[in-house]
Amino acid sequence: MAIIVDKEAKRRDIALSCRDLLQEHGIANLTIAQIAQTAGVGKGTIYEYFDNKEDIVFEIITTFLREDLEYLQQLVTLPLSTREKLFRFCTFRYENEQEGEKYRELFKEFLAISLISKEPAMLRFSQEARAAFRIILEQILDEGVAQGELEERFRGAAESLIIFSTGMVVESRLEGFDTQQELNTILDLFFPTPTQGNPS
Amino acid sequence: MAIIVDKEAKRRDIALSCRDLLQEHGIANLTIAQIAQTAGVGKGTIYEYFDNKEDIVFEIITTFLREDLEYLQQLVTLPLSTREKLFRFCTFRYENEQEGEKYRELFKEFLAISLISKEPAMLRFSQEARAAFRIILEQILDEGVAQGELEERFRGAAESLIIFSTGMVVESRLEGFDTQQELNTILDLFFPTPTQGNPS
DNA sequence: TTGTCTATGACTGACTGTCGGTCAATGAAA
DNA sequence: TTTCATTGACCGACAGTCAGTCATAGACAA
């Protein structure tokens, strides 16, 4: 009979081949024609694997988030203070000067789409990603409490920190916003002995 | 000479006449043609007063934010506890069940635009609005410290609360997100005697 | 084993409809 | 007659569609 392709795999392949393109142009300036050309397929083929333009962006972002998750998962295992881990958890998007800028831009665009999109798939995905991040954060907090670095009452602060991080991503679009300083201000609430400046 | 129209005033007029339209359809489903028709002018006229579609939305949002600011300014004068004021400050967008929903939807779309847009005017406006909100928040915090309801070290927490509020707007798009509970969790950090539940 | 035929799903790009934005023409006031 | 506001026909760009083409796995005869 005919060839049967692995739809899921090809979807990922197309997404992967367009990562750079997306980072370079941004979502708004990315056309389906460009995507198709870069992926080396016809425009129609794109719609064989994706519902619409958002869906493509969505898939590409997923590849980034998977990497994020890997990074954060190994962060937990590093020999660092709880405060340092929390700090890195919340600022890892800002770590790399060069690549970080592009990545953050992309993440903002993703946030923008997911703010407006009412697609159930998009919402479900956001929720799953959040849950994964949250588990890691809770692990850091639990360890912090176990090691006496953190008061018991902060064990349930994972949600708050995630909300705060999200807020930081949005606010960082503004000139003069100092991510590290703002995060330290919050972390000072968590740790009895306030430390000014980046604790690293 | 010919007629000289007050550009600024007409800009506001057009924006005002389209408030409902924007709330009804959302930004993505709002066309320039609709806007022009609703405002009772030709499509070309719109571009006499606005640079682009975003600019229109931007102007309409401004009218809402002006109202917000008025509300928050009078909030400071009410005879309420500091905690209650902070609570209301951060949740006022969620107060009204019916209208609040539409309003939040709009605000999210505004956030989405301002996340992506690199228009200097848009960024400047965001920063100005933020500064205005911040001043009110700082006033609440100062009063709280003065009245002994709040420890001195929380005087500089305005920035943190704004970031957190922004995060809440974004996260509230997700099913099962409880604004009030999350805000109380954070406020519990500020106030020595934790109060569970909505303090109102 | 080899050659041939065929069903099927992958693939394509010309085409369509929509929409943001432009501009030449018109109108009105002074 | 000048000047400015107004207008809607028009334009180009782009997302998304669909009728048709192509490539190959498998069936089967020689």
Side-chain angles (χ1 to χ4, degrees):
Chain A
M1 289 296 173
I3 315 160
I4 303 294
V5 302
D6 182 339
K7 292 255 177 190
E8 215 31 69
K10 183 135 190 177
R11 204 181 135 93
R12 278 198 301 272
D13 283 348
I14 293 175
L16 220 54
S17 71
C18 294
R19 270 176 67 132
D20 294 345
L21 199 66
L22 182 62
Q23 280 205 316
E24 204 57 51
H25 294 74
I27 292 165
N29 302 313
L30 193 66
T31 68
I32 299 287
Q34 277 179 307
I35 291 171
Q37 197 175 13
T38 304
V41 299
K43 200 142 96 75
T45 307
I46 296 292
Y47 287 91
E48 209 58 43
Y49 297 96
F50 300 94
D51 291 339
N52 48 44
K53 194 180 164 185
E54 280 184 8
D55 196 25
I56 302 169
V57 172
F58 172 74
E59 182 68 31
I60 300 177
I61 294 281
T62 303
T63 70
F64 283 100
L65 287 189
R66 257 195 286 269
E67 287 174 15
D68 288 354
L69 220 52
E70 267 173 45
Y71 168 81
L72 292 177
Q73 262 151 2
Q74 62 89 37
L75 170 66
V76 181
T77 69
L78 296 178
L80 298 165
S81 72
T82 298
R83 178 166 180 145
E84 175 67 15
K85 281 185 193 170
L86 289 178
F87 187 89
R88 290 211 194 169
F89 186 95
C90 295
T91 56
F92 80 99
R93 293 187 214 283
Y94 308 88
E95 276 176 357
N96 189 323
E97 274 295 319
Q98 308 280 37
E99 282 300 302
E101 178 62 30
K102 267 191 193 168
Y103 174 76
R104 231 172 306 131
E105 218 51 53
L106 200 59
F107 189 73
K108 282 188 218 166
E109 293 185 351
F110 163 70
L111 258 192
I113 288 182
S114 76
L115 262 175
I116 295 175
S117 170
K118 275 142 194 71
E119 282 286 310
M122 175 68 84
L123 288 173
R124 206 174 327 114
F125 169 73
S126 294
Q127 221 142 12
E128 279 170 17
R130 229 179 93 101
F133 280 105
R134 191 184 160 140
I135 286 171
I136 296 172
L137 198 45
E138 280 171 345
Q139 193 179 333
I140 296 175
L141 290 170
D142 279 351
E143 276 180 28
V145 172
Q147 314 219 331
E149 294 179 58
L150 207 56
E151 286 178 47
E152 172 67 29
R153 67 196 170 108
F154 294 117
R155 195 190 290 277
E159 192 70 23
S160 300
L161 281 173
I162 287 179
I163 297 168
F164 190 81
S165 291
T166 304
M168 285 215 303
V169 172
V170 178
E171 301 290 11
S172 68
R173 95 205 108 111
L174 300 174
E175 192 91 20
F177 186 85
D178 186 339
T179 318
Q180 305 206 342
Q181 184 193 311
E182 295 310 333
L183 182 57
N184 273 321
T185 304
I186 276 287
L187 288 182
D188 284 345
L189 294 182
F190 285 60
F191 295 87
T193 314
T195 310
Q196 287 303 327
N198 182 341
S200 57
Chain B
M1 289 288 189
I3 319 160
I4 302 295
V5 299
D6 182 340
K7 290 254 176 189
E8 219 25 74
K10 183 137 187 178
R11 203 180 136 93
R12 277 199 301 272
D13 283 350
I14 293 175
L16 220 55
S17 70
C18 293
R19 269 177 69 132
D20 295 345
L21 198 65
L22 181 62
Q23 280 205 315
E24 204 57 51
H25 293 76
I27 292 164
N29 303 312
L30 193 67
T31 67
I32 299 286
Q34 277 179 309
I35 291 172
Q37 196 175 14
T38 305
V41 299
K43 202 143 90 76
T45 308
I46 296 291
Y47 286 90
E48 207 59 41
Y49 297 97
F50 300 93
D51 291 339
N52 49 44
K53 195 182 166 186
E54 280 184 7
D55 196 26
I56 302 168
V57 173
F58 172 75
E59 182 68 32
I60 299 176
I61 294 281
T62 303
T63 70
F64 282 100
L65 287 189
R66 258 195 285 269
E67 286 174 14
D68 288 354
L69 220 51
E70 268 174 45
Y71 167 81
L72 292 177
Q73 262 152 1
Q74 61 90 38
L75 170 66
V76 180
T77 68
L78 295 178
L80 298 166
S81 72
T82 299
R83 177 166 181 145
E84 174 68 14
K85 280 185 192 170
L86 290 178
F87 187 88
R88 289 211 194 170
F89 185 95
C90 295
T91 57
F92 79 99
R93 294 187 214 283
Y94 309 86
E95 276 176 354
N96 189 322
E97 274 295 319
Q98 308 280 38
E99 282 300 302
E101 179 61 31
K102 266 192 196 170
Y103 174 75
R104 231 170 308 129
E105 219 50 54
L106 203 58
F107 189 73
K108 281 188 220 166
E109 293 186 354
F110 164 69
L111 261 192
I113 289 182
S114 74
L115 261 176
I116 295 174
S117 169
K118 276 143 193 71
E119 282 284 310
M122 175 68 85
L123 288 173
R124 206 173 328 115
F125 170 73
S126 294
Q127 220 142 13
E128 279 170 16
R130 228 178 94 100
F133 280 104
R134 191 184 161 141
I135 286 171
I136 296 171
L137 197 46
E138 280 171 346
Q139 193 179 335
I140 296 176
L141 290 170
D142 279 351
E143 277 181 26
V145 171
Q147 312 217 334
E149 293 179 59
L150 207 55
E151 286 178 46
E152 171 68 29
R153 68 194 168 110
F154 293 117
R155 194 191 289 279
E159 192 69 24
S160 300
L161 281 173
I162 287 179
I163 296 168
F164 190 81
S165 290
T166 304
M168 285 215 303
V169 173
V170 178
E171 301 290 10
S172 69
R173 96 206 110 112
L174 300 175
E175 193 90 19
F177 186 85
D178 187 338
T179 318
Q180 305 205 342
Q181 184 193 309
E182 296 308 333
L183 182 57
N184 273 321
T185 303
I186 276 285
L187 288 182
D188 284 346
L189 295 182
F190 286 60
F191 295 88
T193 314
T195 312
Q196 288 302 328
N198 180 341
S200 58

